[in-house]
Amino acid sequence: MEIPVLECRNLSISYYTRQGEVPAVVDFNLRLMPGEAHGIVGESGCGKSTVALAIMNYMGRNGAIVGGEILFEGRDMRTMSAEELRQIRGAKIAMVYQEPMASLNPSMKIAEQLAEVPMYHEGIGEAEALRRAEKMLVQVRLPDPQRIMNSYPHQISGGQQQRVVIAMALLSNPRLLLLDEPTTALDVTVEAGIVDLIKEIARTTGTSLIYISHNLGLILETCTRLTVMYSGEAVESGDIHAVFDEMRHPYTRGLFNSIPLPGADKNSRPLVAIRGQLPLPHARPAGCYFAPRCDHFAAGVCDHRPLPMRAVAEGASHAVRCARFAEIDWAAATLPHTPREKVLAGELVLSVEELTKHYTVESSGAFLVGARRTVKANEQISFAAREAETVAIVGESGCGKSTFAKVLMGLEDATSGRVQLGDLDLANLPVQSRNERTIARLQMIFQNPFDTLNPSHTVGAQISRVIRKFGVERDPEKVEARLNQLLDIIKLPREFAHRRPRQLSGGQKQRIGIARAFAGDPKVVIADEPVSALDVSVQAAVTGLLMDIQRDNRTTLLFISHDLSVVRYLADRVVVMYLGRIMEKGSTEEIFAPPYHPYTEALLAAVPIADTSVRKRRIVLSGEIPSPSNPPKGCPFNTRCLYMMAGTCDAIPPPQREFAAGHVIACHLPRETLLAMEPVISIAPA
């Protein structure tokens, strides 16, 4: 009988603090066979990463396994000596963390960091270790491995850094590879390449994988089995298709209702967020931990423990921790959508015409002292936004999205072109020269809610300051009334006004950021990746909140994102940018259906979709996005384009082809070729 690579049996993990014992993971079970890929999903704080750290036996001084056991290749890891554990880590069990720079030493070249893995674990010489390291960089599809080997971590891109970390983890041919959110910080195109790489690793090396993520689409594409965790315990586990197609826990159903799948529509089929909050470990309810947020809770049934995992059917490997799963009408549970009335766009609010932003920087290098080069961040950007409309700006990191936002906010001056807000040109009007009314009309929601609130002030004081500063209200009683109104709008209790940011969750902080942005009654709000740092359930609540406020205030929303699933759900029109230029623009329906710009096509193919009925054409971009200081001649996308026509695409700027009113594609491909493109995403018949 084949021995599992890893087995967790009734695993319980606690951390010890000044307040006492904090039970982080309770009664966790997992069985991983050779070559198998197992996904662990759930909201932040559910215990996913704690399980991974326990497997590595790296929980810190205040963490401990308080129950159950972890068996690696049949041996209980708790009985292993410190030296045995050191030998196993990095050799037989390796881990890839979420942030690659946290795993790389900034003061050492890549070659040194890679070579020390086999030198330490296998005792081989430096020359052989360097040879193996270079060979591994080729296997993880890094171009020019010699250059990468001779580089420091900061000299390569984020996607390259993550591939280096994966190469480091694989150098000693581990039996088990733990991947903790390895693609969260990466663009969707880079993410698609990493996912492809991970699948190939599992197939060719026989390495077993545990993939930790809150992205169910990624789990579907990479794993064969799945465990869903909630508040420290597994609530559902089984074969990936069994869990996706026949989920039997209300929490799993809630997660899927929060994801913008292709069938979701912000008006006819809006997302449904899971109500309430994840309970703190020391304040878990009696019985089912999900009970306070569950629509199927029954007193006397769901509020008692023990609550074991039960097989969905006799002999099935699909199990669920729910007392009522057999009584729930799951067909009805999948359709709790309440349609909303469609919001009609109004008059023109913002007009961007031929906007160009160049930076002049000094070149580095011994022979280039004083030499200057031009970084072309934005090149001839033109689009318009109307009242109550959501316009999404999408593209990879470095495409110029955030530079455009800085020009709009007055943090940068435009090199040329116009940015018209009503009768005012903002292109060369720095924020210091803007009056209160102009600043109030144009506000921003930032990506990271943790860094945008002052930790020493209450959230009420921070919102009230905006209300007073922009002259919405001056009288203290009216300011407080407006503050309470905003807290009601973002669906937070009024007593939260007296809390400081550290007392709030990530989703609550982002809601405060939204309230602050809308406190001055803005006409235009720029949302820069406002939901990328949030769990899917919180993401659904925040997107719903944005739409409700927009509906009531008729605010124009510029939504900057690389997440095309959220864009498809939220946006009315889409602008696709690459290397500072607009490649395609049009309504959301036009962007997500043929004809596509080849770059749009690649972006759509890269988006992981958590739906087993969806079929995608496989398109993986090769190479890196060129430097904006040295863009390619002709079409900026020609160095990575699958349709590149030598002598044309690499020499002549592409023409603007109009396919419908407002739907424009900048491409050399003949009109007939673009019209004949096949859909990237299709739904398989039931």
Side-chain angles (χ1 to χ4, degrees), residues 233 249 285-292 294 302-305 307 321-322:
E233 64 182 9
H249 195 283
C288 176
Y289 294 162
F290 187 61
C294 184
C302 302
D303 47 8
H304 295 293
R305 293 190 85 85
L307 193 64
R321 195 185 300 271
C322 178

Side-chain angles (χ1 to χ4, degrees), residues 520-533:
D521 292 330
K523 288 296 292 178
V524 179
V525 170
I526 304 166
D528 190 0
E529 302 275 13
V531 296
S532 63

Side-chain angles (χ1 to χ4, degrees), residues 171-350:
L171 264 170
S172 286
N173 298 316
R175 295 276 288 143
L176 172 62
L177 182 61
L178 304 169
L179 299 129
D180 189 359
E181 301 275 16
T183 61
T184 299
L186 305 178
D187 287 312
V188 286
T189 50
V190 180
E191 180 180 80
I194 297 290
V195 167
D196 249 31
L197 173 64
I198 290 166
K199 288 193 287 189
E200 187 178 313
I201 288 165
R203 186 173 61 250
T204 57
T205 66
T207 302
S208 300
L209 305 176
I210 292 181
Y211 202 120
I212 295 167
S213 180
H214 66 266
N215 188 328
L216 285 157
L218 276 181
I219 294 295
L220 177 60
E221 291 192 2
T222 53
C223 299
T224 51
R225 289 187 62 79
L226 169 66
T227 295
V228 180
M229 289 189 72
Y230 182 80
S231 191
E233 64 182 9
V235 294
E236 187 160 7
S237 66
D239 173 81
I240 196 88
H241 286 275
V243 176
F244 271 65
D245 296 339
E246 298 177 21
M247 58 200 73
R248 289 296 178 266
H249 195 283
Y251 176 62
T252 311
R253 181 69 268 166
L255 283 180
F256 276 81
N257 283 338
S258 303
I259 300 171
L261 298 174
D265 181 273
K266 66 179 181 180
N267 298 312
S268 62
R269 295 190 72 239
L271 301 180
V272 180
I274 303 173
R275 57 187 169 83
Q277 300 289 331
L278 191 80
L280 294 172
H282 58 270
R284 290 172 176 143
C288 176
Y289 294 162
F290 187 61
R293 306 173 72 187
C294 184
D295 296 328
H296 307 283
F297 171 78
V301 178
C302 302
D303 47 8
H304 295 293
R305 293 190 85 85
L307 193 64
M309 292 285 278
R310 296 162 55 196
V312 169
E314 190 175 345
S317 62
H318 183 189
V320 65
R321 195 185 300 271
C322 178
R324 300 194 62 231
F325 76 89
E327 306 165 25
I328 297 171
D329 182 351
W330 290 101
T334 61
L335 299 169
H337 308 280
T338 304
R340 294 182 174 127
E341 187 179 344
K342 186 174 181 179
V343 178
L344 297 176
E347 61 184 21
L348 188 68
V349 170
L350 182 73

Side-chain angles (χ1 to χ4, degrees), residues 451-633:
D451 295 337
T452 54
L453 297 174
N454 189 323
S456 61
H457 290 257
T458 64
V459 296
Q462 296 183 59
I463 296 171
S464 297
R465 181 177 181 273
V466 176
I467 296 168
R468 290 192 301 271
K469 182 77 175 172
F470 294 145
V472 177
E473 298 291 353
R474 301 285 189 189
D475 180 82
E477 289 186 4
K478 290 182 178 179
V479 169
E480 186 176 358
R482 174 65 175 157
L483 168 62
N484 288 333
Q485 181 190 19
L486 284 164
L487 289 172
D488 292 343
I489 288 171
I490 63 170
K491 298 179 175 64
L492 286 180
R494 292 184 176 185
E495 56 265 27
F496 273 43
H498 305 292
R499 294 192 181 188
R500 285 181 166 76
R502 68 175 182 272
Q503 296 171 294
L504 306 180
S505 69
Q508 289 168 343
K509 287 177 185 173
Q510 193 61 292
R511 286 169 184 255
I512 296 298
I514 291 169
R516 190 174 60 178
F518 282 92
D521 292 330
K523 288 296 292 178
V524 179
V525 170
I526 304 166
D528 190 0
E529 302 275 13
V531 296
S532 63
L534 306 177
D535 288 313
V536 289
S537 56
V538 181
Q539 194 178 90
V542 170
T543 54
L545 175 64
L546 281 172
M547 288 187 293
D548 289 343
I549 298 174
Q550 182 186 43
R551 185 183 302 272
D552 294 338
N553 296 10
R554 293 196 61 79
T555 312
T556 302
L557 187 65
L558 294 185
F559 190 81
I560 297 174
S561 181
H562 69 265
D563 188 337
L564 285 170
S565 295
V566 176
V567 165
R568 181 175 193 159
Y569 173 72
L570 199 61
D572 302 303
R573 290 192 300 113
V574 181
V575 175
V576 181
M577 289 183 65
Y578 183 80
L579 211 62
R581 289 183 177 270
I582 293 178
M583 298 285 99
E584 184 172 1
K585 59 184 176 183
S587 70
T588 306
E589 293 76 18
E590 289 164 344
I591 296 295
F592 281 81
Y596 309 111
H597 187 281
Y599 179 57
T600 309
E601 183 184 46
L603 284 179
L604 293 174
V607 178
I609 299 173
D611 189 337
T612 56
S613 67
V614 169
R615 300 289 177 266
K616 285 194 308 179
R617 285 169 50 212
R618 187 178 178 278
I619 304 167
V620 178
L621 289 180
S622 59
E624 300 289 326
I625 187 168
S627 169
S629 64
N630 186 27
K633 293 181 179 178

